[in-house]
mmCIF file with all atom_site columns, all heavy atoms in Angstrom:
data_model
loop_
_atom_site.group_PDB
_atom_site.id
_atom_site.type_symbol
_atom_site.label_atom_id
_atom_site.label_alt_id
_atom_site.label_comp_id
_atom_site.label_asym_id
_atom_site.label_entity_id
_atom_site.label_seq_id
_atom_site.pdbx_PDB_ins_code
_atom_site.Cartn_x
_atom_site.Cartn_y
_atom_site.Cartn_z
_atom_site.occupancy
_atom_site.B_iso_or_equiv
_atom_site.pdbx_formal_charge
_atom_site.auth_seq_id
_atom_site.auth_comp_id
_atom_site.auth_asym_id
_atom_site.auth_atom_id
_atom_site.pdbx_PDB_model_num
ATOM 1  N N   . CYS A 1 29  ? -33.822 -14.209 -3.655  1.00 73.00 ? 31  CYS A N   1
ATOM 2  C CA  . CYS A 1 29  ? -32.920 -14.406 -4.796  1.00 73.00 ? 31  CYS A CA  1
ATOM 3  C C   . CYS A 1 29  ? -33.057 -15.796 -5.404  1.00 73.00 ? 31  CYS A C   1
ATOM 4  O O   . CYS A 1 29  ? -32.289 -16.157 -6.308  1.00 73.00 ? 31  CYS A O   1
ATOM 5  C CB  . CYS A 1 29  ? -31.477 -14.173 -4.364  1.00 73.00 ? 31  CYS A CB  1
ATOM 6  S SG  . CYS A 1 29  ? -31.110 -12.452 -3.978  1.00 73.00 ? 31  CYS A SG  1
ATOM 7  N N   . GLN A 1 122 ? -3.509  -18.701 9.190   1.00 86.00 ? 124 GLN A N   1
ATOM 8  C CA  . GLN A 1 122 ? -2.186  -19.109 9.656   1.00 86.00 ? 124 GLN A CA  1
ATOM 9  C C   . GLN A 1 122 ? -2.245  -20.144 10.772  1.00 86.00 ? 124 GLN A C   1
ATOM 10 O O   . GLN A 1 122 ? -1.419  -21.064 10.818  1.00 86.00 ? 124 GLN A O   1
ATOM 11 C CB  . GLN A 1 122 ? -1.403  -17.882 10.138  1.00 86.00 ? 124 GLN A CB  1
ATOM 12 C CG  . GLN A 1 122 ? 0.020   -18.229 10.590  1.00 86.00 ? 124 GLN A CG  1
ATOM 13 C CD  . GLN A 1 122 ? 0.868   -17.003 10.816  1.00 86.00 ? 124 GLN A CD  1
ATOM 14 O OE1 . GLN A 1 122 ? 0.443   -15.876 10.584  1.00 86.00 ? 124 GLN A OE1 1
ATOM 15 N NE2 . GLN A 1 122 ? 2.094   -17.197 11.273  1.00 86.00 ? 124 GLN A NE2 1
ATOM 16 N N   . ARG A 1 236 ? -12.532 4.897   28.969  1.00 96.00 ? 238 ARG A N   1
ATOM 17 C CA  . ARG A 1 236 ? -11.785 6.119   28.670  1.00 96.00 ? 238 ARG A CA  1
ATOM 18 C C   . ARG A 1 236 ? -12.592 7.073   27.785  1.00 96.00 ? 238 ARG A C   1
ATOM 19 O O   . ARG A 1 236 ? -12.587 8.288   28.000  1.00 96.00 ? 238 ARG A O   1
ATOM 20 C CB  . ARG A 1 236 ? -10.476 5.767   27.948  1.00 96.00 ? 238 ARG A CB  1
ATOM 21 C CG  . ARG A 1 236 ? -9.379  5.209   28.830  1.00 96.00 ? 238 ARG A CG  1
ATOM 22 C CD  . ARG A 1 236 ? -8.623  6.274   29.603  1.00 96.00 ? 238 ARG A CD  1
ATOM 23 N NE  . ARG A 1 236 ? -8.226  7.418   28.784  1.00 96.00 ? 238 ARG A NE  1
ATOM 24 C CZ  . ARG A 1 236 ? -7.178  7.428   27.961  1.00 96.00 ? 238 ARG A CZ  1
ATOM 25 N NH1 . ARG A 1 236 ? -6.416  6.349   27.840  1.00 96.00 ? 238 ARG A NH1 1
ATOM 26 N NH2 . ARG A 1 236 ? -6.882  8.508   27.263  1.00 96.00 ? 238 ARG A NH2 1
ATOM 27 N N   . GLY A 1 282 ? -32.183 6.487   16.279  1.00 94.00 ? 284 GLY A N   1
ATOM 28 C CA  . GLY A 1 282 ? -32.930 7.296   15.317  1.00 94.00 ? 284 GLY A CA  1
ATOM 29 C C   . GLY A 1 282 ? -33.440 8.603   15.895  1.00 94.00 ? 284 GLY A C   1
ATOM 30 O O   . GLY A 1 282 ? -33.996 9.431   15.161  1.00 94.00 ? 284 GLY A O   1
ATOM 31 N N   . GLY A 1 392 ? -17.676 -30.826 -15.756 1.00 42.00 ? 394 GLY A N   1
ATOM 32 C CA  . GLY A 1 392 ? -17.100 -31.914 -16.523 1.00 42.00 ? 394 GLY A CA  1
ATOM 33 C C   . GLY A 1 392 ? -15.726 -32.323 -16.032 1.00 42.00 ? 394 GLY A C   1
ATOM 34 O O   . GLY A 1 392 ? -15.175 -33.315 -16.472 1.00 42.00 ? 394 GLY A O   1
ATOM 35 N N   . ASP A 1 483 ? 16.387  -18.221 -30.406 1.00 93.00 ? 485 ASP A N   1
ATOM 36 C CA  . ASP A 1 483 ? 15.134  -18.081 -31.170 1.00 93.00 ? 485 ASP A CA  1
ATOM 37 C C   . ASP A 1 483 ? 14.241  -19.316 -31.007 1.00 93.00 ? 485 ASP A C   1
ATOM 38 O O   . ASP A 1 483 ? 13.017  -19.199 -30.869 1.00 93.00 ? 485 ASP A O   1
ATOM 39 C CB  . ASP A 1 483 ? 15.436  -17.859 -32.641 1.00 93.00 ? 485 ASP A CB  1
ATOM 40 C CG  . ASP A 1 483 ? 15.905  -16.433 -32.930 1.00 93.00 ? 485 ASP A CG  1
ATOM 41 O OD1 . ASP A 1 483 ? 15.769  -15.591 -32.022 1.00 93.00 ? 485 ASP A OD1 1
ATOM 42 O OD2 . ASP A 1 483 ? 16.399  -16.178 -34.049 1.00 93.00 ? 485 ASP A OD2 1
ATOM 43 N N   . THR A 1 525 ? -0.886  -13.829 -10.915 1.00 91.00 ? 527 THR A N   1
ATOM 44 C CA  . THR A 1 525 ? -0.727  -12.388 -10.826 1.00 91.00 ? 527 THR A CA  1
ATOM 45 C C   . THR A 1 525 ? -1.788  -11.865 -9.874  1.00 91.00 ? 527 THR A C   1
ATOM 46 O O   . THR A 1 525 ? -2.738  -12.577 -9.533  1.00 91.00 ? 527 THR A O   1
ATOM 47 C CB  . THR A 1 525 ? -0.832  -11.701 -12.200 1.00 91.00 ? 527 THR A CB  1
ATOM 48 O OG1 . THR A 1 525 ? -0.528  -10.304 -12.048 1.00 91.00 ? 527 THR A OG1 1
ATOM 49 C CG2 . THR A 1 525 ? -2.229  -11.826 -12.782 1.00 91.00 ? 527 THR A CG2 1
ATOM 50 N N   . VAL A 1 585 ? 17.373  -8.770  0.944   1.00 95.00 ? 587 VAL A N   1
ATOM 51 C CA  . VAL A 1 585 ? 16.318  -7.800  0.619   1.00 95.00 ? 587 VAL A CA  1
ATOM 52 C C   . VAL A 1 585 ? 15.430  -7.562  1.841   1.00 95.00 ? 587 VAL A C   1
ATOM 53 O O   . VAL A 1 585 ? 15.041  -8.518  2.523   1.00 95.00 ? 587 VAL A O   1
ATOM 54 C CB  . VAL A 1 585 ? 15.441  -8.289  -0.556  1.00 95.00 ? 587 VAL A CB  1
ATOM 55 C CG1 . VAL A 1 585 ? 14.385  -7.240  -0.904  1.00 95.00 ? 587 VAL A CG1 1
ATOM 56 C CG2 . VAL A 1 585 ? 16.289  -8.613  -1.776  1.00 95.00 ? 587 VAL A CG2 1
ATOM 57 N N   . LYS A 1 734 ? 19.602  33.750  -25.687 1.00 93.00 ? 736 LYS A N   1
ATOM 58 C CA  . LYS A 1 734 ? 18.490  34.716  -25.660 1.00 93.00 ? 736 LYS A CA  1
ATOM 59 C C   . LYS A 1 734 ? 18.955  36.028  -25.009 1.00 93.00 ? 736 LYS A C   1
ATOM 60 O O   . LYS A 1 734 ? 18.647  37.126  -25.495 1.00 93.00 ? 736 LYS A O   1
ATOM 61 C CB  . LYS A 1 734 ? 17.307  34.122  -24.899 1.00 93.00 ? 736 LYS A CB  1
ATOM 62 C CG  . LYS A 1 734 ? 16.087  35.035  -24.799 1.00 93.00 ? 736 LYS A CG  1
ATOM 63 C CD  . LYS A 1 734 ? 14.967  34.333  -24.039 1.00 93.00 ? 736 LYS A CD  1
ATOM 64 C CE  . LYS A 1 734 ? 13.760  35.240  -23.845 1.00 93.00 ? 736 LYS A CE  1
ATOM 65 N NZ  . LYS A 1 734 ? 13.003  35.472  -25.087 1.00 93.00 ? 736 LYS A NZ  1
ATOM 66 N N   . LEU A 1 838 ? 8.548   27.428  -12.717 1.00 94.00 ? 840 LEU A N   1
ATOM 67 C CA  . LEU A 1 838 ? 8.290   26.089  -12.169 1.00 94.00 ? 840 LEU A CA  1
ATOM 68 C C   . LEU A 1 838 ? 6.837   25.685  -12.361 1.00 94.00 ? 840 LEU A C   1
ATOM 69 O O   . LEU A 1 838 ? 6.255   24.954  -11.554 1.00 94.00 ? 840 LEU A O   1
ATOM 70 C CB  . LEU A 1 838 ? 8.670   26.034  -10.687 1.00 94.00 ? 840 LEU A CB  1
ATOM 71 C CG  . LEU A 1 838 ? 10.155  26.272  -10.379 1.00 94.00 ? 840 LEU A CG  1
ATOM 72 C CD1 . LEU A 1 838 ? 10.391  26.327  -8.881  1.00 94.00 ? 840 LEU A CD1 1
ATOM 73 C CD2 . LEU A 1 838 ? 11.026  25.187  -11.020 1.00 94.00 ? 840 LEU A CD2 1
ATOM 74 N N   . THR A 1 911 ? 10.490  32.584  -0.083  1.00 96.00 ? 913 THR A N   1
ATOM 75 C CA  . THR A 1 911 ? 10.986  33.697  -0.890  1.00 96.00 ? 913 THR A CA  1
ATOM 76 C C   . THR A 1 911 ? 10.056  34.901  -0.740  1.00 96.00 ? 913 THR A C   1
ATOM 77 O O   . THR A 1 911 ? 8.866   34.749  -0.439  1.00 96.00 ? 913 THR A O   1
ATOM 78 C CB  . THR A 1 911 ? 11.072  33.330  -2.384  1.00 96.00 ? 913 THR A CB  1
ATOM 79 O OG1 . THR A 1 911 ? 9.746   33.033  -2.876  1.00 96.00 ? 913 THR A OG1 1
ATOM 80 C CG2 . THR A 1 911 ? 11.964  32.128  -2.599  1.00 96.00 ? 913 THR A CG2 1
#
Side-chain angles (χ1 to χ4, degrees):
C31 291
Q124 182 169 357
R238 284 280 313 281
D485 284 348
T527 186
V587 182
K736 180 179 177 72
L840 297 175
T913 63

